[in-house]
Amino acid sequence: MQRLKPQTSKKMALIRFKALESVLSRPAIQVNPPSSKLSDFYGIHVFDLIKMKQYLSKEAYESIVAAIDTGTLIERSVADQVASAMKAWAMEKGCTHYTHWFQPLTGTTAEKHDSFFEPGADGRAIEKFTGDALVQQEPDASSFPNGGIRNTFEARGYTAWDPSSPAFVIESGSAKTLCIPTVFVSYTGEALDYKAPLLKALNALDKAAVDVCQFFDKSITKVTASLGIEQEYFLVDLSLYHARPDLMMTGRALFGHMSAKGQQLEDHYFGSIPERVHAFMVDFETESIKLGIPLKTRHNEVAPNQFECAPIYEEINLAIDHNQLLMDLMDKVARRHHFKVLLHEKPYAGVNGSGKHNNWSLITNTGKNLLSPGKTPKNNLMFLTFFVNTIKAVHEHADLLRASIASVSNDHRLGANEAPPAIISIFLGSQLDEVLNEIETSKVNKKADTNNALWLGIPKIPQILLDNTDRNRTSPFAFTGNKFEFRAVGSSANSSEAMTVLNTIMADQLVQFSKEVEQLVKKGEKKDVALLTVIKRYIKESKHIRFEGNGYSEEWEKEAAKRGLSNLKTTPKALDAYISKKSTDLFINNQVYNERESHARHEIRLENYTKKLQIESRVIGEMVTSVIIPTAVEYQNMLVQNVKGLKEIGLSKTYTEPQMDLIKEISEHVNFVKKAVEDMIEERKKGNIIEDERKKAIHYDEKVKAYFEPIRYHVDKLELVISDEKWPLPKFRELLFVK
Ligand code: ADP
Ligand code: MG
């Protein structure tokens, strides 16, 4: 039968126990922030407006501010000045190199470092950084994902400076590098990154929202979206992590029986933070604060060894740059503390997964939050306008919004019992839900007095909403007092994907709204009456997307199906919404993606889905064959020896039967997993020759992934019967509870 490989499994078991030993003797690392006042070092590594003012001439400074505020172009001479100021500042801080810092569709951030150093013609060298180098770089980018946009013969990609996100200095050991946030586009001008489309969507939103604001307040000339990103993550000791090939290769435990204690006692949430973890948090927060990331909160999350941090909200483009930077920083700093940060949405089956809640609202140049109810009825008409348009936008494009958060790792979370379901719905809270119901059914009072609380038939809206605290944690998209919280975004995601879609659908919706109101006004309707008339109709039309109940319940799945809402549980099919006629038109009309870009993105995401499953499947195969089976056989052999011995000394069947049962049970599990791995490999082979990316992804989902759970079931059974001292992989109780 199976051949013995005692060496492998013995070694593995050794690693597990060595790892455990080393964890238990690990002290918390001392962290000394530069000052106990965070404001003393907030932003010291950022070339922000304050520093620009110091280093630039008045004209140059003003043209940068204009570029940030209104998107005006920056002249070459100004770019030269900015470059030389940046260089001076960065060199004072000890930088030798600079890089354009961008977000290709790999999901990580990319850098290519160049030194300031340049040899002169006379043999002497100087430190140089010109406006040209600031504004544009040409990384040899042929191996970034591009979805067929860029063939290798036109392999050039451009990175172009984004002045709205300030440059910063990254330290790595003693090396310091000036990082310049940029977009990344192809030679033909198509976006190859996350930032370019986001900036376009924000631009469309700004225009559309300002137009709508004109109905209320002529002084509003700019609307920006704000975003506060809550980041959930798990921590695991680095040694334990290295003893789990699955965590290392895929970011999640592909096997592992749930420990007797999980999160059922609910004793981790908001509990006291373990000392080593606390030191890690202080350390990465310090680094973040230096980089101008306004981290504000930290706490334990629901699952053991799960945590969360959140910054104060910022303008959306900056908030996303900061979140990307934060994820990098956490990873780097964690190593100093012998931790690994797991950003995967579901590292451990059986306990909560991790999300990245995106708190989103709209803010005007006059400082008004458009999603905040006001004091006067007139203000509330403005609030209702943006509030109801958001609901309508989500209603119209729920499938696209679902697609925007689809990924192989988030599939484990959406629809699982503690995460928002794959059905997109909106939670408003009982008070606002009632307000909308009332508006929907009441008559517009055309002669109403502006000072009346029930002006035009708009009921009174309380300024402080009960549901701000009484949160519905089961909703993927919840209103929380003065902002919407898109909770379904995955913890490892770049928020740009979701935010590009959200801001585009909102822009599109607001354009539509303006048109409809204008039409009524042209027909002679009073402006306020016209506004309310359209709002009323929108409330009616988008009613199906509103749900106040328990989003995790089975009844909701049934109810949602009745209402005709989609429930797309897996990525390959959810992604279809990206390339539907409705979506491609939406993107084209709002100048966010052309058709080629929509299709390219669709393809890249399908490819990514397939590749990740392929890796998981391979790791399962390798671990079963070279770790699990040898361990099982070795232990089984011990039992065989034992039975032989018992028989030799003359004991009857009664005494050998329990061991015989175990021997059989082990064989059954081993036989099952061995066969299943072989079959899974066959399915992989079939999948790999499928050319169509969508079909291939579906094959991987339905045929290859189908083996994961059954294999895991039998491996986890083996974990339960095999002697603990022989089991090579750190167990869930160790991954989740060892601190
Ligand atoms: P909770 O942690 O209970 O979800 P918080 O009020 O702490 O709620 O908000 C979470 C995140 O929402 C924070 O990042 C916060 O800065 C952000 N936030 C608050 N107000 C806004 C707003 N108007 N627009 C966008 N984000 C906001
Ligand atoms: Mg929240």
Side-chain angles (χ1 to χ4, degrees), residues 226-230 310-313 359-361 369 471 482-483 485:
S226 61
L227 181 64
I229 300 178
E230 298 166 62
I312 297 168
Y313 68 92
N359 295 274
W360 171 88
S361 75
N369 177 351
R471 240 5 112 64
N482 60 0
K483 60 189 186 290
E485 182 173 357

Short mmCIF file of all heavy atoms in Angstrom, two decimals, residues 226-230 310-313 359-361 369 471 482-483 485, ligand 1:
data_model
loop_
_atom_site.label_atom_id
_atom_site.label_comp_id
_atom_site.label_asym_id
_atom_site.label_seq_id
_atom_site.Cartn_x
_atom_site.Cartn_y
_atom_site.Cartn_z
N SER A 226 -15.76 61.06 0.75
CA SER A 226 -14.86 60.77 1.87
C SER A 226 -14.95 59.29 2.19
O SER A 226 -15.97 58.64 1.93
CB SER A 226 -15.26 61.59 3.08
OG SER A 226 -16.58 61.26 3.46
N LEU A 227 -13.87 58.77 2.74
CA LEU A 227 -13.83 57.34 3.02
C LEU A 227 -13.05 57.07 4.29
O LEU A 227 -11.94 57.57 4.48
CB LEU A 227 -13.17 56.62 1.83
CG LEU A 227 -13.05 55.10 1.92
CD1 LEU A 227 -14.42 54.44 1.94
CD2 LEU A 227 -12.24 54.55 0.75
N GLY A 228 -13.67 56.30 5.18
CA GLY A 228 -12.98 55.82 6.38
C GLY A 228 -12.96 54.30 6.30
O GLY A 228 -14.01 53.67 6.22
N ILE A 229 -11.76 53.73 6.28
CA ILE A 229 -11.64 52.28 6.05
C ILE A 229 -11.30 51.56 7.34
O ILE A 229 -10.24 51.76 7.91
CB ILE A 229 -10.55 52.00 5.00
CG1 ILE A 229 -10.90 52.69 3.67
CG2 ILE A 229 -10.37 50.50 4.81
CD1 ILE A 229 -9.84 52.49 2.60
N GLU A 230 -12.21 50.69 7.79
CA GLU A 230 -11.89 49.85 8.94
C GLU A 230 -11.21 48.59 8.41
O GLU A 230 -11.70 47.96 7.49
CB GLU A 230 -13.18 49.46 9.66
CG GLU A 230 -13.94 50.65 10.23
CD GLU A 230 -15.35 50.27 10.64
OE1 GLU A 230 -15.52 49.43 11.53
OE2 GLU A 230 -16.30 50.82 10.04
N ALA A 310 -8.64 51.37 12.56
CA ALA A 310 -9.33 52.29 11.66
C ALA A 310 -8.76 53.69 11.78
O ALA A 310 -8.51 54.17 12.88
CB ALA A 310 -10.82 52.30 11.97
N PRO A 311 -8.55 54.32 10.63
CA PRO A 311 -8.13 55.71 10.65
C PRO A 311 -9.34 56.63 10.62
O PRO A 311 -10.46 56.18 10.40
CB PRO A 311 -7.36 55.84 9.33
CG PRO A 311 -8.05 54.89 8.41
CD PRO A 311 -8.63 53.79 9.26
N ILE A 312 -9.11 57.90 10.84
CA ILE A 312 -10.16 58.90 10.63
C ILE A 312 -10.34 59.05 9.12
O ILE A 312 -9.35 58.95 8.37
CB ILE A 312 -9.74 60.24 11.25
CG1 ILE A 312 -9.59 60.06 12.76
CG2 ILE A 312 -10.73 61.35 10.91
CD1 ILE A 312 -8.91 61.21 13.44
N TYR A 313 -11.56 59.27 8.70
CA TYR A 313 -11.82 59.31 7.26
C TYR A 313 -11.08 60.47 6.57
O TYR A 313 -10.79 61.49 7.18
CB TYR A 313 -13.32 59.40 6.98
CG TYR A 313 -13.98 60.69 7.38
CD1 TYR A 313 -14.10 61.74 6.47
CD2 TYR A 313 -14.51 60.87 8.65
CE1 TYR A 313 -14.71 62.93 6.84
CE2 TYR A 313 -15.12 62.05 9.03
CZ TYR A 313 -15.21 63.08 8.11
OH TYR A 313 -15.81 64.25 8.48
N ASN A 359 -16.56 53.15 4.92
CA ASN A 359 -17.50 54.19 5.35
C ASN A 359 -17.39 55.36 4.38
O ASN A 359 -16.34 55.98 4.27
CB ASN A 359 -17.16 54.67 6.76
CG ASN A 359 -17.35 53.55 7.78
OD1 ASN A 359 -18.43 53.35 8.29
ND2 ASN A 359 -16.28 52.81 8.04
N TRP A 360 -18.50 55.65 3.72
CA TRP A 360 -18.47 56.57 2.58
C TRP A 360 -19.50 57.67 2.73
O TRP A 360 -20.63 57.41 3.12
CB TRP A 360 -18.74 55.73 1.33
CG TRP A 360 -18.96 56.45 0.05
CD1 TRP A 360 -18.00 56.83 -0.85
CD2 TRP A 360 -20.22 56.82 -0.54
NE1 TRP A 360 -18.60 57.40 -1.95
CE2 TRP A 360 -19.95 57.42 -1.78
CE3 TRP A 360 -21.55 56.70 -0.13
CZ2 TRP A 360 -20.96 57.89 -2.62
CZ3 TRP A 360 -22.56 57.18 -0.96
CH2 TRP A 360 -22.24 57.77 -2.19
N SER A 361 -19.10 58.88 2.45
CA SER A 361 -20.09 59.95 2.36
C SER A 361 -19.60 61.02 1.39
O SER A 361 -18.52 60.88 0.80
CB SER A 361 -20.39 60.55 3.73
OG SER A 361 -19.33 61.36 4.15
N ASN A 369 -21.67 67.80 4.96
CA ASN A 369 -21.79 66.37 4.66
C ASN A 369 -23.18 66.14 4.07
O ASN A 369 -24.19 66.31 4.74
CB ASN A 369 -21.61 65.56 5.94
CG ASN A 369 -21.81 64.06 5.71
OD1 ASN A 369 -22.24 63.63 4.63
ND2 ASN A 369 -21.49 63.27 6.71
N ARG A 471 -26.62 49.16 15.45
CA ARG A 471 -26.16 48.73 14.14
C ARG A 471 -26.73 47.40 13.67
O ARG A 471 -26.81 46.47 14.46
CB ARG A 471 -24.68 48.53 14.26
CG ARG A 471 -23.64 49.24 13.50
CD ARG A 471 -23.96 50.31 12.61
NE ARG A 471 -23.48 51.60 13.08
CZ ARG A 471 -22.20 51.90 13.23
NH1 ARG A 471 -21.27 51.02 12.99
NH2 ARG A 471 -21.86 53.09 13.62
N ASN A 482 -24.56 59.28 9.31
CA ASN A 482 -24.18 60.36 8.39
C ASN A 482 -23.32 59.85 7.25
O ASN A 482 -22.59 60.59 6.60
CB ASN A 482 -23.45 61.47 9.16
CG ASN A 482 -22.18 60.95 9.82
OD1 ASN A 482 -21.87 59.76 9.70
ND2 ASN A 482 -21.46 61.81 10.48
N LYS A 483 -23.36 58.55 7.06
CA LYS A 483 -22.54 57.92 6.02
C LYS A 483 -23.10 56.53 5.73
O LYS A 483 -23.86 56.00 6.54
CB LYS A 483 -21.10 57.77 6.51
CG LYS A 483 -20.99 56.92 7.78
CD LYS A 483 -19.59 56.96 8.38
CE LYS A 483 -19.42 56.01 9.55
NZ LYS A 483 -20.13 56.38 10.77
N GLU A 485 -22.06 52.55 5.10
CA GLU A 485 -20.95 51.65 5.39
C GLU A 485 -21.09 50.44 4.47
O GLU A 485 -21.99 49.63 4.63
CB GLU A 485 -21.01 51.23 6.87
CG GLU A 485 -19.88 50.33 7.29
CD GLU A 485 -19.87 50.08 8.80
OE1 GLU A 485 -20.71 50.65 9.52
OE2 GLU A 485 -19.01 49.30 9.24
P1 ADP B 1 -17.77 52.17 13.92
O1 ADP B 1 -16.38 51.82 14.32
O2 ADP B 1 -18.77 51.99 15.00
O3 ADP B 1 -18.20 51.50 12.64
P2 ADP B 1 -17.02 55.03 13.55
O4 ADP B 1 -17.91 56.22 13.74
O5 ADP B 1 -15.80 54.93 14.38
O6 ADP B 1 -17.92 53.76 13.59
O7 ADP B 1 -16.62 55.08 12.04
C1 ADP B 1 -15.86 54.16 11.41
C2 ADP B 1 -15.14 54.87 10.29
O8 ADP B 1 -16.04 55.74 9.62
C3 ADP B 1 -13.97 55.74 10.75
O9 ADP B 1 -12.92 55.55 9.86
C4 ADP B 1 -14.55 57.12 10.65
O10 ADP B 1 -13.56 58.11 10.47
C5 ADP B 1 -15.40 56.96 9.41
N1 ADP B 1 -16.35 58.06 9.20
C6 ADP B 1 -16.98 58.82 10.11
N2 ADP B 1 -17.68 59.79 9.50
C7 ADP B 1 -17.50 59.65 8.16
C8 ADP B 1 -17.94 60.34 7.01
N3 ADP B 1 -18.74 61.38 7.08
N4 ADP B 1 -17.53 59.88 5.81
C9 ADP B 1 -16.74 58.81 5.72
N5 ADP B 1 -16.29 58.13 6.76
C10 ADP B 1 -16.65 58.53 7.98
#
